[in-house]
């Protein structure tokens, strides 16, 4: 959770999200992102964002598929 001096509402920052390989491709990552976004909406966060490096196309692709804009 990041508190910025120029906004009253906090920001949720996802540094890393990982699902053990034995549990991948079951929708768990999408469920985690969806639940986090819903939690943040209900609790007054201004936005949710994630860090994904361009040299990790799997991560970038995953986060783009979640289609959340906040």
């Amino acid at each position: 959770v990041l508190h910025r001096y120029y906004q009253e509402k906090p920001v949720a920052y996802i540094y890393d999200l990982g699902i053990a390989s034995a549990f991948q491709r079951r929708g768990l990552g999408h469920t985690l992102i969806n639940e986090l976004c819903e939690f943040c909406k209900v609790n007054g966060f201004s936005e949710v964002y994630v860090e994904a490096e361009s040299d990790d196309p799997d991560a970038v692709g995953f986060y783009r598929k979640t289609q959340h804009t906040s």
Side-chain angles (χ1 to χ4, degrees), residues 22-59:
F23 297 98
Q24 291 177 356
R25 307 239 180 255
R26 297 182 186 185
L28 297 173
H30 285 276
T31 299
L32 285 170
I33 294 294
N34 290 336
E35 290 296 321
L36 175 64
C37 289
E38 184 61 25
F39 173 86
C40 290
K41 184 190 328 184
V42 168
N43 288 283
F45 283 68
S46 65
E47 61 184 311
V48 178
Y49 70 96
V50 64
E51 181 176 323
E53 301 295 329
S54 60
D55 63 350
D56 187 351
D58 292 334

